[in-house]
Amino acid sequence: MMKIRTFLALLLLAVGLLAHADVSPGDGMPAFALTDQTGKLRSSDEFKGKWLVLYFYPKADTPGCTEEACSFRDDIVLLRALGAEVVGVSTDDVAAIREFGRKHELPFTLLADPDGKTAQKYGALVNLGVLKFAKRHSFLIDPDGRIVKRYKDVDTKDYAKTILVDLRALSKKS
């Protein structure tokens, strides 16, 4: 009986890790409607017409997520000068992202995705059954709503600088 339970648990784990959507450069941005840190419902349609840095992060106020968010905070003026908005998404609840944004004075939108459905649409969800969290994946989305770049390996400390280099190069082509 123990072997069957172990097998079933491993099978559920494997299915949770493998069953996800995946988006790539050239694809349209999957739609979302999520609540932000102020309690307002925000839609993906609001961000069309400008560059969008949509980044998924595992857990508010953990060291890597804080370093990543503060990287965007510190370069937000440069990102906005290039016509980009930054939006962070995690599976945390609204209260957690509200406190995270307040504590670190984050001047951009944070979205709560507690059921992980949006992260799953983007292929950025780890689903272990009872535990779900976002992978540290990000997307650079053009003003037409097309994914231009996907980032899976992120140096949280200098992450915004990487986005800025790519955004400058892509802006010159437009």
Side-chain angles (χ1 to χ4, degrees):
M1 190 64 161
M2 184 65 156
K3 287 182 181 181
I4 292 172
R5 285 185 190 158
T6 302
F7 172 76
L8 289 174
L10 289 172
L11 182 62
L12 285 173
L13 177 62
V15 168
L17 290 173
L18 297 174
H20 67 274
D22 208 7
V23 293
S24 301
D27 292 345
M29 167 178 61
F32 60 81
L34 297 169
T35 305
D36 72 10
Q37 70 265 44
T38 68
K40 180 180 174 187
L41 187 63
R42 306 294 296 271
S43 160
S44 51
D45 289 339
E46 291 177 48
F47 301 101
K48 288 188 177 169
K50 59 187 94 173
W51 287 95
L52 175 63
V53 178
L54 184 67
Y55 82 96
F56 291 85
Y57 61 97
K59 184 89 176 125
D61 219 24
T62 56
C65 296
T66 299
E67 193 170 62
E68 181 179 25
C70 290
S71 169
F72 284 120
R73 177 199 64 203
D74 296 346
D75 284 329
I76 195 70
V77 171
L78 298 172
L79 290 158
R80 287 187 174 150
L82 291 168
E85 283 298 319
V86 175
V87 175
V89 182
S90 80
T91 56
D92 291 313
D93 61 24
V94 173
I97 64 170
R98 178 183 305 119
E99 178 57 21
F100 182 49
R102 185 203 60 75
K103 180 178 179 181
H104 299 288
E105 299 178 0
L106 303 177
F108 51 82
T109 301
L110 297 174
L111 298 174
D113 182 24
D115 63 9
K117 288 182 180 177
T118 297
Q120 185 172 10
K121 286 181 188 180
Y122 283 83
L125 181 70
V126 174
N127 183 352
L128 303 175
V130 294
L131 177 65
K132 294 179 184 177
F133 59 92
K135 297 176 189 175
R136 196 179 309 283
H137 287 191
S138 301
F139 302 86
L140 184 55
I141 301 167
D142 74 13
D144 295 324
R146 290 253 168 251
I147 295 170
V148 178
K149 292 204 72 139
R150 180 180 185 159
Y151 305 86
K152 292 182 180 180
D153 297 315
V154 174
D155 176 359
T156 56
K157 191 174 187 178
D158 297 319
Y159 188 41
K161 304 255 186 275
T162 301
I163 298 285
L164 278 166
V165 167
D166 291 342
L167 192 54
R168 283 182 185 119
L170 290 164
S171 295
K172 288 178 184 176
K173 291 179 184 178
S174 300

